[in-house]
Amino acid sequence: MAETDILISPHGAQLGSLPFLPDCSQVLEFFPPQYWIPGFYGSLAQAGGSEYYYLYFSDGDKWNETEVTANSHRARVETRRHQFCAPLEPTLNVVDQMVGIGIPAATKLIEEG
């Protein structure tokens, strides 16, 4: 972690290691539909000197969709059981903001990788 400049991760306990990132690192956290709580690890990232970004993957209103899961342990457990894949284009848009290499260049890196 001490040599990580950019960390991209779904929401989860693995983000508890954010304080070990170097100053000026950047964090991108993914949230599935009905599970949006950016203040949880976002505040930890910012307190450690990292720049924090998040993506919430739903077309709905994150405040309304998350209300049920925020108030019910059972709903949180059910929501976390669902797998999701982060859509490429919105992810690349945020990564582009983070590193400033441009979407065509980022797409090319992925295609060549």
Side-chain angles (χ1 to χ4, degrees), residues 29-107:
E29 183 177 12
F30 295 144
F31 292 97
Q34 301 176 8
Y35 202 86
W36 177 69
I37 44 175
F40 196 80
Y41 290 111
S43 59
L44 184 61
Q46 291 171 332
S50 297
E51 192 169 336
Y52 176 78
Y53 300 83
Y54 72 84
L55 284 173
Y56 176 71
F57 295 107
S58 175
D59 294 331
D61 177 30
K62 57 187 167 245
W63 293 101
N64 290 330
E65 288 185 350
T66 305
E67 186 173 356
V68 172
T69 54
N71 296 313
S72 167
H73 176 70
R74 174 174 269 171
R76 286 192 301 276
V77 169
E78 286 300 316
T79 300
R80 288 190 297 243
R81 285 186 183 162
H82 299 290
Q83 292 186 8
F84 77 101
C85 292
L88 184 60
E89 190 169 333
T91 302
L92 287 177
N93 286 334
V94 174
V95 171
D96 178 47
Q97 292 175 24
M98 294 168 78
V99 298
I101 62 173
I103 295 299
T107 305

